[in-house]
Amino acid sequence: MVYLNFTNLDSETQERLLSVSKEDVESRSGTELLQFAETHDKDYDTLLEEEAMRNLYSYDFVFNM
């Protein structure tokens, strides 16, 4: 098995995983992020992307070869 982190993946794979992570974060805590963005006058999309990146770095990517 090969263990990689997010930065070891190619850019196409990173973009695909980032979009999946955004959907995951939005489904789990989208309303809380939106409320936080409105309360603190922040950009929702920026917050979503930051949370999606944090979410990705919590994953372990394992590939069987």
Side-chain angles (χ1 to χ4, degrees):
M1 282 192 257
V2 178
Y3 293 89
L4 299 172
N5 65 24
F6 182 69
T7 56
N8 295 118
L9 304 174
D10 65 13
S11 62
E12 182 180 321
T13 305
Q14 286 181 355
E15 286 298 318
R16 184 171 47 84
L17 289 173
L18 183 60
S19 68
V20 169
S21 182
K22 280 182 184 179
E23 292 172 5
D24 182 37
V25 168
E26 196 166 26
S27 69
R28 282 189 291 123
S29 58
T31 55
E32 291 89 0
L33 277 177
L34 186 58
Q35 289 174 350
F36 180 84
E38 290 174 351
T39 303
H40 297 287
D41 197 30
K42 304 280 184 181
D43 182 40
Y44 173 73
D45 292 325
T46 304
L47 285 174
L48 180 61
E49 185 149 342
E50 289 171 357
E51 286 299 317
M53 289 299 285
R54 278 191 211 105
N55 188 37
L56 279 174
Y57 282 104
S58 67
Y59 293 156
D60 289 327
F61 301 98
V62 179
F63 298 92
N64 293 320
M65 299 177 116

